[in-house]
Amino acid sequence: MHVLILGGTTEARRLAELLHGTPGLELTSSLAGRVASPRLPPGEVRVGGFGGAAGLAEWLREHAVDALIDATHPFAGTMSFHAAQAAATAHVPLLALRRPGWVPVEGDDWHEAGSLEDAAGLLPGLGRRIFLTTGRMGLAAFADLTDLWFLVRSVDAPESPYPPRMEVLLDRGPFTLDGERELLRRHRVDVVVTKDSGGAATAPKLAAAREAGMPVVVVRRPAAPEGVPIVPDPERAVRWLGECLGLRIFLLPD
Ligand code: NAP
């Protein structure tokens, strides 16, 4: 049995860890290649695009893939649609492993945005010193905000265009509440911008902003393909695989 995991997330790595070494299972994880030195999952890893949905369908056929898990980031919208199309074409069962989005709690001052461009439009009315945690891609949306100062946190250095008044902090999660509190204080941040990525690793910034009574601009998730079963965590993906491939070895206790 051959399983292909479309990865690039903590959950994809965790799933590979859970499945690695299962007798009778060949496992391949796929990364887009955006990060210079990614944290690699155990097992076989391939890097780079497939050449669209048709290329992925071809890959599934050529490599006799029995099940496909789309464990990409909730904002990797294109890849999720390609996965749905390719799985249908190649008649391969597909599961989406997608961590749930964040939910505001009492004390949060969240401002929802439909896109990075919408988020940029909201900022001049909210503050002047912005902690931008949306990653190194898409900074062009903020490039015209010449009056605002940005602290940009990303795994690799951003490429232009980006805002003219900007400091870059190269770092990757998980982050702690103490660390995020200190970061907001030291840089005199007055607004946080984030994608609704979900998950625990990058959530402490939300708690730190809440404590400080600071507004947070939350970019909503892009649309995902309809009709694809979704599970919220790697353990349930393992269970789905067990049922799908008929391998009892995968069935974990509840
Ligand atoms: P995207 O816009 O949905 O995909 C763009 C293209 O990148 C796809 O058409 C595909 O190229 C290639 N691609 C994406 N994920 C791939 C994978 N796992 N394996 C092989 N090729 C892949 O994706 P993105 O937003 O650029 O994200 C790229 C990767 O970074 C994803 O793996 C995602 O999990 C990870 N990531 C994204 C974010 C985010 O905020 N977007 C955050 C953290 C991690 P082809 O059409 O040539 O196949």
Side-chain angles (χ1 to χ4, degrees):
M1 294 289 177
H2 187 189
V3 173
L4 174 64
I5 301 174
L6 302 173
T9 57
T10 309
E11 289 75 12
R13 234 176 21 249
R14 175 74 188 132
L15 178 59
E17 284 165 9
L18 289 172
L19 295 174
H20 184 60
T22 302
L25 183 78
E26 186 189 342
L27 181 64
T28 307
S29 294
S30 173
L31 302 177
R34 299 275 190 282
V35 175
S37 51
R39 289 179 181 143
L40 293 176
E44 195 69 36
V45 177
R46 65 163 299 286
V47 180
F50 294 92
L56 177 56
E58 190 53 34
W59 201 98
L60 295 174
R61 278 199 216 94
E62 257 180 31
H63 294 82
V65 171
D66 296 289
L68 175 62
I69 310 280
D70 169 19
T72 56
H73 191 270
F75 279 78
T78 306
M79 196 61 206
S80 292
F81 277 94
H82 287 181
Q85 235 174 300
T89 307
H91 305 288
V92 171
L94 167 66
L95 177 75
L97 165 54
R98 197 162 297 128
R99 58 177 99 127
W102 289 316
V103 177
V105 300
E106 200 180 330
D108 277 328
D109 178 16
W110 283 16
H111 301 254
E112 276 200 15
S115 63
L116 291 177
E117 288 71 19
D118 285 354
L122 292 174
L123 287 177
L126 290 174
R128 302 188 62 77
R129 296 183 64 82
I130 321 294
F131 182 27
L132 193 53
T133 66
T134 50
R136 73 188 172 95
M137 317 290 277
L139 293 187
F142 302 89
D144 291 338
L145 295 172
T146 51
D147 288 343
L148 308 185
W149 178 86
F150 289 85
L151 175 65
V152 172
R153 182 166 65 194
S154 56
V155 175
D156 289 318
E159 286 158 25
S160 141
Y162 43 63
R165 300 178 60 220
M166 169 181 94
E167 184 174 328
V168 176
L169 180 61
L170 296 183
D171 204 354
R172 64 173 128 198
F175 301 105
T176 64
L177 179 55
D178 279 350
E180 299 295 61
R181 240 187 231 135
E182 172 56 16
L183 200 66
L184 298 185
R185 194 197 57 74
R186 184 161 21 104
H187 292 281
R188 292 178 289 116
V189 166
D190 53 16
V191 187
V192 175
V193 183
T194 180
K195 292 173 174 173
D196 179 14
S197 299
T202 59
K205 66 189 166 194
L206 302 173
R210 184 184 315 127
E211 279 180 7
M214 197 178 288
V216 179
V217 176
V218 180
V219 181
R220 276 195 302 272
R221 293 178 170 198
E226 283 178 19
V228 178
I230 302 174
V231 293
D233 55 53
E235 288 72 18
R236 266 170 274 204
V238 171
R239 205 163 296 137
W240 179 88
L241 272 173
E243 283 158 15
C244 174
L245 301 178
L247 291 178
R248 287 181 55 213
I249 192 98
F250 290 143
L251 291 171
L252 299 177
D254 281 325

